[in-house]
């Protein structure tokens, strides 16, 4: 049933994107990018690559909060090299690769697993914070106080979910449940707990979403002029579209879900041809940045091994 739901969501989002492209195909094909536009797209790629590198650094902060100090550069390399695996069916293989790499670096299995669960949760909380801050830019939310209260309530629930007072009992329960199902007399007791609220990683994820949003805004700027009062709208729309791409079970890497959401939010505020072109370009920029990050991490790792 879950797999069937994934295909339904994927098919629906891709149909919506394809229909929007078909309806605005003439406008899309008439858009031109000049030399300055290509330069801006190159900057957008660099900013997106910086965002992924920054996310890898935040992962080491999460591990530090779990009392698992790790070599920063090595784990950023692991993060960048495993990033492309999120496009594989299942959308979990990048997490699996990071858990295996962390275990090989003498990080406990529980801490490695918890770190890759906390990271997307903190990302989701950061995206929701940004969306709430700029949700007033959307007409549908300007005069509806009930929706704002509902948004704040969900945000508080997410923030409470990563609080040590809530998370540590859950960790202990799952650890006891695992030992009850597969007892191991030789297994040492693991004291896996959060000592403090993960504020620094949460603030870091806000920086990550801001950098990703900047890459998207630069992509639109490359094909169309923007005014300053449009920036908050784009920040809120990108954060919400990225959040749905993260949490909705659909295509790997949020493919289709992100695009459909962004088109639905922005096509009434910008020319549809510009929105569709920018979203398609940004998907290409994201994949190029992730591929470049993985390649650079691999080359740097090879350089270090060769020099040693």
């Amino acid at each position: 049933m879950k797999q069937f739901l994934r295909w339904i969501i994927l098919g629906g989002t891709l149909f919506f994107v394809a229909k929007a492209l078909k309806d605005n195909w003439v406008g899309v094909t008439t858009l031109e990018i000049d030399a300055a536009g290509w330069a801006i797209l190159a900057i957008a790629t660099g900013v997106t690559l910086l965002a992924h590198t920054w996310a890898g650094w935040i992962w080491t902060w999460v591990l530090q909060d779990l009392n698992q100090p790790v070599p920063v550069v090595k784990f950023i390399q692991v993060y960048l090299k495993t990033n492309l695996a999120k496009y594989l069916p299942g959308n979990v293989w990048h997490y699996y690769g990071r858990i295996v790499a962390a275990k090989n670096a003498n990080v406990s299995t529980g801490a490695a697993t918890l770190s890759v669960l906390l990271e997307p949760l903190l990302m989701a909380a950061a995206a929701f914070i940004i969306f709430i801050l700029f949700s007033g830019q959307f007409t549908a939310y300007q005069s509806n106080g009930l929706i704002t209260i509902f948004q704040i309530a969900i945000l508080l629930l997410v923030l409470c979910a990563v609080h040590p007072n809530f998370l540590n009992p859950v960790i202990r329960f799952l650890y006891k449940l695992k030992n009850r199902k597969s007892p191991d007399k030789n297994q040492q007791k693991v004291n896996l707990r959060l000592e403090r609220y993960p504020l620094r990683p949460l603030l870091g994820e806000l920086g990550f979403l801001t950098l990703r949003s900047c890459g998207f805004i630069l992509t639109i700027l490359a094909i169309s002029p923007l005014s300053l009062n449009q920036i908050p709208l784009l920040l809120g729309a990108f954060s919400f579209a990225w959040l749905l791409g993260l949490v909705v079970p659909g295509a790997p890497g949020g493919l289709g879900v992100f695009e459909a959401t962004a088109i639905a939010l922005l096509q009434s505020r910008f020319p549809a041809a510009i929105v569709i072109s920018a979203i398609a370009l940004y998907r290409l920029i994201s994949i190029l940045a992730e591929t470049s990050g993985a390649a650079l991490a691999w080359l740097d790792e090879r350089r270090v091994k060769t020099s040693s």
Side-chain angles (χ1 to χ4, degrees):
M1 186 64 186
K2 183 179 179 181
Q3 189 67 21
F4 181 73
L5 179 62
R6 288 177 180 271
W7 283 109
I8 290 293
I9 295 174
L10 175 59
T13 53
L14 291 181
F15 175 79
F16 177 82
V17 174
K19 184 177 185 305
L21 180 61
K22 173 181 175 294
D23 293 342
N24 299 276
W25 178 252
V26 175
V28 171
T29 55
T30 58
L31 290 176
E32 295 183 359
I33 303 176
D34 56 16
W38 286 112
I40 294 174
L41 289 177
I43 296 172
T45 305
V47 170
T48 305
L49 174 57
L50 177 61
H52 289 298
T53 306
W54 177 254
W57 194 7
I58 297 170
W59 181 38
T60 67
W61 298 354
V62 174
L63 286 165
Q64 289 171 12
D65 282 353
L66 295 172
N67 299 315
Q68 302 288 330
V70 293
V72 173
V73 174
K74 179 180 178 180
F75 270 64
I76 291 177
Q77 291 173 341
V78 170
Y79 190 94
L80 292 174
K81 287 191 301 179
T82 56
N83 223 14
L84 283 174
K86 68 185 178 183
Y87 292 105
L88 296 175
N91 199 20
V92 296
W93 297 109
H94 52 311
Y95 297 137
Y96 176 77
R98 290 164 194 169
I99 292 173
V100 171
K103 288 173 60 179
N104 292 337
N106 297 320
V107 175
S108 68
T109 302
T113 304
L114 183 58
S115 71
V116 300
L117 293 176
L118 278 175
E119 186 213 6
L121 182 60
L122 294 171
M123 284 182 172
F128 205 77
I129 289 172
I130 294 176
F131 173 67
I132 287 178
L133 289 176
F134 299 108
S135 61
Q137 299 296 318
F138 301 95
T139 304
Y141 298 99
Q142 285 181 355
S143 59
N144 198 327
L146 289 177
I147 293 181
T148 301
I149 294 173
F150 180 69
Q151 290 173 335
I152 294 175
I154 294 178
L155 176 60
L156 290 176
L157 287 175
V158 173
L159 295 177
C160 290
V162 296
H163 194 282
N165 290 340
F166 174 82
L167 198 58
N168 288 333
V170 174
I171 295 171
R172 288 195 297 269
F173 172 76
L174 293 176
Y175 181 74
K176 290 179 181 179
L177 185 63
K178 175 180 178 297
N179 285 345
R180 189 179 300 121
K181 290 183 177 180
S182 55
D184 185 357
K185 296 180 179 180
N186 298 321
Q187 189 176 19
Q188 295 181 350
K189 185 177 180 179
V190 178
N191 184 24
L192 181 62
R193 57 182 286 112
L194 278 173
E195 300 294 339
R196 58 186 178 274
Y197 191 86
L199 180 61
R200 184 174 67 153
L202 178 59
L203 294 176
E205 299 297 0
L206 285 170
F208 167 75
L209 262 297
T210 301
L211 286 172
R212 292 297 303 270
S213 299
C214 287
F216 179 67
I217 292 170
L218 286 171
T219 303
I220 294 181
L221 182 62
I223 58 179
S224 175
L226 289 176
S227 59
L228 288 177
N229 60 1
Q230 292 174 316
I231 302 301
L233 169 67
L234 292 172
L235 283 170
F238 175 86
S239 298
F240 187 69
W242 186 91
L243 174 62
L244 287 187
L246 177 68
V247 302
V248 173
L255 184 65
V257 177
F258 168 80
E259 285 79 3
T261 306
I263 291 173
L265 290 175
L266 295 175
Q267 65 180 353
S268 62
R269 309 298 290 271
F270 294 89
I274 291 177
V275 173
I276 295 170
S277 300
I279 289 172
L281 280 172
Y282 185 72
R283 176 60 72 177
L284 294 176
I285 284 173
S286 296
I287 295 175
L288 178 60
E290 289 164 347
T291 305
S292 301
L296 290 173
W298 181 80
L299 289 173
D300 187 58
E301 198 174 54
R302 288 288 299 253
R303 179 188 61 81
V304 172
K305 289 181 179 179
T306 303
S307 61
S308 61

